Amino acid sequence: TEMNLRLERGWVTVVARFEPVREDFKWPQETHLEPVKSCVVPPPAWTGVLTVVVNSATEVKLPEDVSGGKKNPYHSSKAVAVNSSVSILVSSPGKPLPAQHTKAVTGHSPSWCEVLTWEVEQEDGPLDLECVVQDKKAGVLGRCRVPFPQGLGKMNHDLWLQGDGGKMATGSVSVQVEWKPVHEDFVFPAPWVPPSLPPVSGDLVVTVVGGEWLSASQSCAVVEVQDSSNMHWRCTSVVKKTSDPAWGQKLRFRWRGEEVPRITLELSDSERSQAPPSSPSKGFNKMFRTTTKAASLGSTSVPFPSQAGPAEHELYLSGDPSVTGLVRLRTEWVADPRAPEFVWPAREAAEGDDPVWHGQLVVTAESASDLRAADMSLFGKGTSDPYVKLLTTTIPRPSTTWKSKVIKKTLNPVWNETGSVQLITTTKPEFLVEIWDEDLDADDFLGEAVLPLPTSPGEKQVDLVLNTNKSKNKRDAKGAVKLRVEWRP
């Protein structure tokens, strides 16, 4: 006789067997067994052992970089180390079960390999399982629902993480689930059907390779992905002391939307100190730039991938007249296999495909004549120590792009020195030629002239009369400078 006996906590299964020695043993009447039958209490319908093995995760990253107690609104590919643990939450119509947690493991692809078990004894079901991945400092990194087993045996799942509180989440978690019911006739619940995903669901990977001929010697790239209702952004690290930066950083976006998003890349000379609004608006760019100290080095739209696999792009930057250069990047779209079949969009053209000025400006400073004497002498005529500066005037503060050698003690210097400037810009640049006198303390301004750019191939002879600029020197300029100019596209 097998009986399940209920205790104050749990149950026990008792098997009673009696084998008489004497062949003439008289079995008791059935009525004598009634008191024994009265103590047999079957276990509740949902009685058994639930086991969840938390194996590992991949590409788990912080929704925001956290350092020194301050939050950086940009997610850099040089991400802060993640120290993550997993909590499994089990809820049901009956008595809630206590949450169980793994240990914390450092890394973007942690491996826990921990077994969590629950002894379940309740009348009503089903059991709902939720997996929460969290960092000690940053809080919840992502969560996902874990399907309850649909039969006996171990069920393996690779589950994508979803954002918490409107934040972006990346990566997936691998778990194994098993349910061992007490009742042999246990009826497993119907399969859980996840909510349908929007038609544009997947991972957008933007690899910012590098830039050339930028208008600043330090820069970082901000990639913004947005549609009519969502906006997300990532930022590379800042590369210093070069106008040809090489980032080589991969920025990943987990996207869910009804339409193909727009991709915009903007370069700035430093990381911005304030995040843009959570939803796009017409005043976004204006507000964003005026509330931060970062100066824009130009922007460009990035075509959304039109086919599977990585797509290479070389895009020219546009913006105010100071913007020069190009940026190289790769884009790739990996559609979520659970979403409806993705329809690839037609190839779109990017901004700045046809720059006005892309080439090399070569300037040869030949000589100058009849310059103003900046250094006076008690025993003779005054003289100067002149040199030539070539500046771009299209950025907020003029920047020297080339400087000649100094010719000592003369008002009629002969340099015969050549310099060049690389240009990539969507607007016609402007250049200024200045003549200065070198001194031990502060150099003296002798005059300036606007340098006209060539309008036809070949080297052009240019003779410029020097003009006065009272903001640089109150004394009048005099003399002229002779140059040769060539544009090499």
Side-chain angles (χ1 to χ4, degrees):
T1 302
E2 181 176 335
M3 296 171 287
N4 291 315
L5 304 180
R6 188 176 185 84
L7 306 176
E8 289 186 3
R9 177 176 175 80
W11 71 93
V12 62
T13 301
V14 178
V15 179
R17 181 181 179 86
F18 179 72
E19 296 182 1
V21 176
R22 296 180 57 175
E23 295 182 357
D24 59 347
F25 176 77
K26 294 182 179 180
W27 293 94
Q29 298 295 324
E30 185 177 356
T31 55
H32 295 169
L33 297 178
E34 288 181 0
V36 178
K37 288 184 178 180
S38 63
C39 67
V40 176
V41 180
W46 283 78
T47 301
V49 177
L50 175 66
T51 303
V52 178
V53 181
V54 183
N55 292 318
S56 60
T58 58
E59 289 293 323
V60 175
K61 297 181 180 180
L62 300 182
E64 299 171 324
D65 287 347
V66 179
S67 58
K70 296 181 180 180
K71 294 185 177 181
N72 180 356
Y74 296 98
H75 172 85
S76 171
S77 62
K78 189 178 180 180
V80 174
V82 176
N83 188 23
S84 58
S85 61
V86 172
S87 298
I88 301 296
L89 311 179
V90 182
S91 59
S92 68
K95 183 179 179 180
L97 301 178
Q100 296 198 36
H101 318 277
T102 68
K103 61 184 179 182
V105 175
T106 301
H108 298 298
S109 296
S111 178
W112 296 282
C113 297
E114 292 195 35
V115 180
L116 310 178
T117 59
W118 291 262
E119 292 184 359
V120 182
E121 182 185 356
Q122 57 187 36
E123 193 64 41
D124 298 324
L127 303 179
D128 293 325
L129 282 66
E130 186 178 24
C131 173
V132 181
V133 182
Q134 51 196 356
D135 178 81
K136 185 176 181 180
K137 291 184 178 181
V140 176
L141 304 179
R143 61 178 70 232
C144 60
R145 179 165 179 174
V146 180
F148 192 83
Q150 305 305 307
L152 297 175
K154 300 174 181 179
M155 306 292 177
N156 294 303
H157 303 283
D158 288 322
L159 306 170
W160 284 28
L161 296 175
Q162 305 295 322
D164 187 59
K167 297 179 180 179
M168 288 286 289
T170 62
S172 61
V173 63
S174 173
V175 298
Q176 184 185 86
V177 187
E178 183 180 12
W179 169 247
K180 294 180 179 179
V182 170
H183 298 286
E184 295 182 357
D185 58 349
F186 178 81
V187 179
F188 284 86
W192 174 71
V193 179
S196 58
L197 294 175
V200 184
S201 297
D203 278 8
L204 175 64
V205 182
V206 180
T207 303
V208 185
V209 179
E212 291 186 20
W213 302 319
L214 304 184
S215 57
S217 59
Q218 71 174 36
S219 55
C220 68
V222 179
V223 177
E224 300 166 358
V225 181
Q226 62 178 322
D227 59 12
S228 57
S229 58
N230 300 300
M231 175 188 292
H232 303 290
W233 64 95
R234 297 284 187 269
C235 181
T236 68
S237 59
V238 176
V239 176
K240 299 181 179 180
K241 298 182 180 180
T242 178
S243 58
D244 301 326
W247 292 288
Q249 295 184 9
K250 182 182 294 185
L251 309 180
R252 182 182 296 270
F253 298 82
R254 176 66 52 81
W255 189 261
R256 301 285 186 270
E258 299 293 333
E259 57 186 284
V260 173
R262 301 182 302 278
I263 310 172
T264 303
L265 181 142
E266 182 170 7
L267 298 185
S268 61
D269 62 357
S270 62
E271 291 186 0
R272 295 165 175 169
S273 59
Q274 179 174 332
S278 58
S279 60
S281 65
K282 294 182 179 179
F284 163 68
N285 288 330
K286 181 178 179 182
M287 184 280 296
F288 195 18
R289 294 192 180 101
T290 56
T291 56
T292 61
K293 296 181 180 179
S296 174
L297 305 181
S299 63
T300 180
S301 66
V302 181
F304 192 89
S306 57
Q307 59 184 6
E312 303 282 345
H313 301 282
E314 186 175 275
L315 305 173
Y316 296 101
L317 299 170
S318 61
D320 58 42
S322 67
V323 171
T324 63
L326 59 81
V327 64
R328 294 187 177 91
L329 50 86
R330 290 191 299 272
T331 58
E332 184 176 7
W333 172 253
V334 182
D336 191 330
R338 302 170 298 172
E341 183 177 359
F342 182 71
V343 179
W344 294 96
R347 184 185 182 280
E348 56 180 300
E351 294 178 0
D353 281 342
D354 299 311
V356 178
W357 294 89
H358 182 185
Q360 185 180 42
L361 179 67
V362 181
V363 178
T364 300
E366 291 187 347
S367 61
S369 60
D370 196 24
L371 298 179
R372 177 174 64 82
D375 302 329
M376 305 308 295
S377 173
L378 296 177
F379 306 101
K381 294 182 179 180
T383 185
S384 292
D385 303 321
Y387 63 90
V388 179
K389 289 171 64 175
L390 178 66
L391 302 94
T392 59
T393 61
T394 52
I395 64 176
R397 288 190 294 271
S399 173
T400 302
T401 57
W402 177 70
K403 177 182 175 181
S404 75
K405 61 186 178 181
V406 177
I407 305 297
K408 295 290 187 178
K409 300 184 181 302
T410 180
L411 301 180
N412 300 285
V414 177
W415 294 286
N416 285 326
E417 189 174 351
T418 300
S420 63
V421 178
Q422 298 283 358
L423 290 178
I424 299 181
T425 178
T426 55
T427 57
K428 184 177 179 179
E430 295 179 359
F431 287 90
L432 191 68
V433 176
E434 294 182 346
I435 308 296
W436 289 77
D437 166 65
E438 185 182 56
D439 280 335
L440 293 177
D441 47 5
D443 293 353
D444 293 325
F445 176 76
L446 300 180
E448 66 182 16
V450 175
L451 176 64
L453 295 179
T455 57
S456 59
E459 192 175 55
K460 307 297 180 184
Q461 184 75 41
V462 179
D463 295 327
L464 302 175
V465 177
L466 296 178
N467 300 314
T468 302
N469 189 330
K470 296 294 186 181
S471 64
K472 299 176 183 178
N473 195 309
K474 294 183 179 180
R475 299 181 62 182
D476 292 335
K478 57 179 297 189
V481 61
K482 183 179 293 186
L483 308 168
R484 294 197 308 274
V485 183
E486 183 183 3
W487 172 252
R488 297 174 183 175

